[in-house]
Amino acid sequence: MAQPDFLVAVDLVILTVDADVLKVLCVRRGVAPYKGRLALPGGFVRPSEDLADAAERELGEETGLSDLGGHLEQLATYGDPKRDPRGRVLSVAHLALVPDPPPATAGSDAADADWFAVEELLGSRRRLAFDHHRILTDGVARARAKLEYSPLAAAFCRSEFTIGELRQVYEAVWGAELDPRNFHRKVTKTPGFVEATGRTTTRQGGRPARLFVAGGAEVLYPPMQAPA
Amino acid sequence: MAQPDFLVAVDLVILTVDADVLKVLCVRRGVAPYKGRLALPGGFVRPSEDLADAAERELGEETGLSDLGGHLEQLATYGDPKRDPRGRVLSVAHLALVPDPPPATAGSDAADADWFAVEELLGSRRRLAFDHHRILTDGVARARAKLEYSPLAAAFCRSEFTIGELRQVYEAVWGAELDPRNFHRKVTKTPGFVEATGRTTTRQGGRPARLFVAGGAEVLYPPMQAPA
DNA sequence: TCGCCTTCTCGTCAAGGTGACGATTAACAT
DNA sequence: ATGTTAATCGTCACCTTGACGAGAAGGCGA
């Protein structure tokens, strides 16, 4: 029997931490449907392109980054028959974590891209096009969960970072304050989480802080505990 | 520009625990490509069918179950351009956990379906068709991880189960032995994991065991710890 | 220069969770 | 009756965690 054809797109939830606030990159749609509405950046998958390659390409186009120091993983696939009024479009959503906020609109494609506070976007259900509110919700939930049992928070930091900077990542993503002393103990005692470089910096003010790089661990045992 | 069309299929990793062994449902392919090879059950998504609906339909066709008491979730999407020699076929893989082993070949579709020990299938990389070895690997990894921080193990049990039966699920999925006394303490003290029904059973032999049903919790705090 | 403020870093202590393991209970089989 | 099986309860040492004190080492303004 004849099978229906689908269009397949890749949409990106690109998260960063800027000024202690979790932000996501959005573009303003210039064409219908949802013209003028904010949307997650994305695009169609090319004929002989793998999904991961398509996501990496889109990430590069939107941020100008070549994913160096960041993190990119598949999030989930959204296929409600009515999610796109133009037809049967499948969206394979990806989650990207990038350090610093790279200057928005650095890429050529999306002339009108900018960073938005996640908390604000999630507050009003109507600000994002398509089912992107749900995709963003799922992406943020994934990021929050992954900080617990993986050393992924380092993906939000530049290659060398202080324990304090890493703690601010957790605080921004989880929206909770953590005790600096207990956090310091936990991070430095968990094997493979971070490795000291020997260098120090004073960019945070106060006493010079040691600089660390991400360790080799893939998972954290025992996990970081999000506050109850 | 014109976008390429994709065919979209749903493939299922259906896991169960039978005789203390983690098993997966596979079908033997009757047509090329990979004719005669084992494969995960699956099928194409219908024109106006949601992905979750398609997965649930396939699960029902393969097991005869209407997903009662089990668990079904999206796993990941596989889209390598060369994963299917017939063309550009996207596979949205799903993970299902079902209690007991329902009799194989109960459904009408797959005349030649049966349960196979996961450990054996993962041992030889060539026994499964397409990229199903990778999908199975990812599905088992997801299941193992989810047992740690969610009460999902109950999905492998019938509606009423004993602590010992639940422990055997963990032992089969993790491939490790757990101390019955510590497991009992952990499970009964974690809020929302299980709830006593007041009834008992002797189906395990030995002293009568209390029967429990799954509690309302979505996540386990603190998580179960897989042995190091 | 001298406080003062900031942040990092190390310690202490009690509470709670975990692993190891002894002991008892309550069914069934022979 | 006796042994076997598995469930359930208890104990104890150890470790992790949360709360918090205290000092170290920079910058900055008076």
Side-chain angles (χ1 to χ4, degrees), chain A residues 50-225:
Chain A
D50 196 1
L51 298 175
D53 296 335
E56 201 160 343
R57 173 176 56 78
E58 292 287 343
L59 179 60
E61 291 176 2
E62 301 293 344
T63 66
L65 286 177
S66 55
D67 195 23
L68 289 177
H71 171 83
L72 180 61
E73 69 176 39
Q74 190 183 306
L75 177 59
T77 298
Y78 300 83
D80 187 310
K82 297 190 293 289
R83 64 177 294 279
D84 191 323
R86 294 169 297 184
R88 194 73 203 262
V89 181
L90 221 63
S91 169
V92 183
H94 285 68
L95 174 65
L97 312 181
V98 300
D100 278 333
T105 71
S108 49
D109 258 34
D112 204 358
D114 207 351
W115 297 96
F116 294 85
V118 165
E119 193 180 3
E120 290 178 18
L121 282 184
L122 289 184
S124 53
R125 209 161 294 112
R126 292 288 164 205
R127 292 194 56 189
L128 292 178
F130 305 106
D131 50 1
H132 288 187
H133 186 276
R134 158 149 296 280
I135 297 176
L136 176 59
T137 301
D138 293 347
V140 171
R142 170 82 64 93
R144 284 184 175 144
K146 277 223 159 187
L147 287 208
E148 291 189 28
Y149 56 89
S150 83
L152 215 57
F156 283 109
C157 300
R158 55 191 96 178
S159 60
E160 288 195 338
F161 53 87
T162 70
I163 304 293
E165 289 165 349
L166 191 65
R167 176 171 47 82
Q168 286 166 6
V169 167
Y170 275 89
E171 292 178 335
V173 175
W174 282 351
E177 297 212 339
L178 302 176
D179 184 288
R181 296 157 292 186
N182 292 337
F183 183 84
H184 187 280
R185 175 183 61 190
K186 172 72 176 176
V187 167
T188 52
K189 284 197 172 179
T190 300
F193 198 169
V194 296
E195 288 173 13
T197 64
R199 282 181 290 279
T200 62
T201 181
T202 60
R203 64 179 175 232
Q204 298 283 300
R207 169 176 170 178
R210 292 192 292 173
L211 284 167
F212 294 81
V213 295
E218 296 277 330
V219 290
L220 300 182
Y221 276 121
M224 297 285 302
Q225 309 234 40

Side-chain angles (χ1 to χ4, degrees), chain A residues 3-8 44-51 74 76-81 88 90 148 221, chain B residues 3-8 44-51 74 76-81 88 90 148 221:
Chain A
Q3 296 302 332
D5 285 345
F6 292 74
L7 294 181
V8 176
F44 288 101
V45 179
R46 292 179 179 167
S48 43
E49 188 180 39
D50 196 1
L51 298 175
Q74 190 183 306
T77 298
Y78 300 83
D80 187 310
R88 194 73 203 262
L90 221 63
E148 291 189 28
Y221 276 121
Chain B
Q3 298 301 333
D5 285 344
F6 291 75
L7 294 181
V8 176
F44 288 102
V45 178
R46 292 178 179 168
S48 40
E49 189 180 37
D50 196 3
L51 298 175
Q74 190 183 305
T77 298
Y78 301 82
D80 186 309
R88 194 71 204 263
L90 220 63
E148 291 189 28
Y221 276 121

